[in-house]
Amino acid sequence: MSLTTPGMAKNPLDADLSCEDDGDDVLDGMHADAAELAPITLHLTPAVCGVRLDKALSSLVTQYSRSRMQQWIEGGHVTVDGVPARAKMTAFGDETVVISPQAAPEDEAFRPEAMVLDIVHEDGAVIVINKPAGLVVHPAAGNWSGTLLNGLLHHYPPLTGVPRAGIVHRLDKDTSGLMVVAKSLTAHTDLVRQLQARTVKRQYLAMVWGTPQLNGTVDAAMARHPRDRIKMAVSESLSAKPAITHYERLAAGVIDGKAVSLMRCRLETGRTHQIRVHMQSLGFALVGDALYGKAHLMPVFGRQALHACRLGLVHPDSGEACEWMVDLPSDFAGLITRAQIDLAAVNAMNT
């Protein structure tokens, strides 16, 4: 088998061109360039005779997976002796095959996209964003575009040189509120260290079903749910990470005859779904939480009732203590009113 790739000086089999991202790598080098997408010509030999074409190609061009080869065959991006390849066809071992690699959605994920950002504060070191509910923070399966990261790259292009475009912590798609973004490597390193030292102050408002005690602390390690990989769970497994949430009941109300409570939660750690899991572990799932709540209660609110209302940290450049606060979004404010809780009193408690 011989292989030629126009525009490339080295054998493409020596390089990993798949650009798969597990979400833990820096942004540098994430994009497939023109050379990586140049056509690949294969002259098959009898060694692959009788082998299904997609399997033969993936064994010969190992930087691409078999599933990706199947996608390209089905999309008409592979030809055999000048004719588009067919799904499930068999190789005879004397054909000329031309593969025209196509950028996968994840290869295009780290691209600037114009969007309106609610910027609470910006200076030379940080951007503080008030993220709306419904906006995904970081590209991942099912959301390769239209994320906050894409908007940040458009707003401030130098973020291409900062890991994850400066994002140092995340909010769930349907959680609203404050996030800080680093504009430089120095600021990024400083903020990550503050998060690791648990000195960043993150305060949330949450509406839960039921009536928890007036205040308390949940100190319960968390890990992936053992049976449902989408979920997190309180866990004593070796892979579990420490997780601490302090909570306070601000007010009690009623929705559709069921007791609800408005909670103020402060994170000491920042695990995925931490407040949602910790409150559910106490028996008080968040209103609107489709993942951890009860299905028959979902129509009450279109998302989990969780809002990051206050953020405090030490400024990476000046060393000064900074704090930002944002009001409740209109949907959450409406939920509080519906629960017959005094919205003005709630706002007063959070000023």
Side-chain angles (χ1 to χ4, degrees):
M1 184 274 292
S2 61
L3 178 152
T4 57
T5 306
M8 295 189 70
K10 62 181 180 179
N11 189 330
L13 294 179
D14 296 333
D16 179 5
L17 308 183
S18 61
C19 296
E20 300 296 340
D21 173 33
D22 63 4
D24 292 325
D25 296 325
V26 299
L27 299 182
D28 296 337
M30 290 303 301
H31 308 312
D33 60 27
E36 292 173 338
L37 298 180
I40 299 171
T41 300
L42 305 172
H43 301 290
L44 303 187
T45 68
V48 296
C49 181
V51 179
R52 224 175 86 159
L53 183 66
D54 58 343
K55 184 177 181 180
L57 297 183
S58 62
S59 68
L60 296 172
V61 188
T62 56
Q63 67 267 35
Y64 297 118
S65 67
R66 184 176 178 181
S67 63
R68 188 166 290 192
M69 285 294 177
Q70 291 170 338
Q71 292 171 6
W72 292 343
I73 291 172
E74 292 171 359
H77 305 298
V78 177
T79 63
V80 177
D81 292 334
V83 178
R86 303 184 311 278
K88 300 182 180 180
M89 71 182 299
T90 301
F92 290 98
D94 60 355
E95 306 94 324
T96 296
V97 177
V98 178
I99 304 167
S100 298
Q102 304 296 305
E106 57 266 33
D107 297 334
E108 301 295 318
F110 293 78
R111 303 291 189 187
E113 294 181 31
M115 67 177 62
V116 177
L117 300 176
D118 185 357
I119 297 176
V120 176
H121 171 84
E122 182 174 7
D123 56 38
V126 299
I127 306 172
V128 179
I129 302 285
N130 183 18
K131 187 190 85 69
L135 178 62
V136 174
V137 170
H138 193 280
N143 294 284
W144 293 120
S145 63
T147 70
L148 176 60
L149 181 144
N150 300 117
L152 288 168
L153 290 174
H154 182 273
H155 172 75
Y156 188 65
L159 286 174
T160 55
V162 184
R164 294 181 182 171
I167 295 170
V168 294
H169 67 120
R170 308 184 192 188
L171 295 177
D172 295 337
K173 174 183 177 181
D174 289 328
T175 297
S176 55
L178 291 168
M179 290 181 56
V180 63
V181 176
K183 294 179 71 175
S184 68
L185 284 170
T186 300
H188 185 275
T189 300
D190 187 275
L191 291 173
V192 168
R193 287 174 177 169
Q194 290 188 52
L195 286 162
Q196 291 173 338
R198 304 181 184 179
T199 58
V200 175
K201 299 175 182 177
R202 288 167 290 172
Q203 186 171 292
Y204 295 71
L205 290 176
M207 182 83 77
V208 303
W209 292 109
T211 310
Q213 63 185 43
L214 284 174
N215 54 69
T217 296
V218 182
D219 185 349
M222 292 174 50
R224 285 287 172 190
H225 193 284
R227 294 180 300 278
D228 188 342
R229 301 300 293 172
I230 297 176
K231 291 183 176 182
M232 303 295 291
V234 168
S235 173
E236 296 181 356
S237 69
L238 295 177
S239 62
K241 295 181 180 181
I244 302 174
T245 304
H246 306 283
Y247 65 89
E248 174 188 2
R249 193 178 80 226
L250 299 180
V254 177
I255 294 179
D256 296 342
K258 299 179 178 65
V260 294
S261 298
L262 182 66
M263 311 296 294
R264 180 158 52 200
C265 299
R266 181 172 61 84
L267 291 182
E268 191 169 319
T269 56
R271 307 304 174 200
T272 301
H273 301 173
Q274 181 172 318
I275 293 174
R276 300 164 66 185
V277 170
H278 273 176
M279 295 310 298
Q280 188 269 342
S281 73
L282 296 177
F284 306 104
L286 269 62
V287 172
D289 194 336
L291 189 59
Y292 297 101
K294 296 180 179 179
H296 70 282
L297 299 177
M298 290 307 101
V300 170
F301 197 51
R303 64 180 179 97
Q304 65 261 11
L306 187 61
H307 175 67
C309 60
R310 188 179 301 230
L311 175 68
L313 51 85
V314 175
H315 194 279
D317 281 355
S318 69
E320 296 180 357
C322 300
E323 187 173 77
W324 298 273
M325 293 173 286
V326 289
D327 293 334
L328 283 162
S330 58
D331 64 341
F332 203 141
L335 181 68
I336 290 174
T337 300
R338 181 179 173 184
Q340 304 170 42
I341 296 172
D342 187 341
L343 182 60
V346 171
N347 289 333
M349 286 185 283
N350 285 281
T351 56

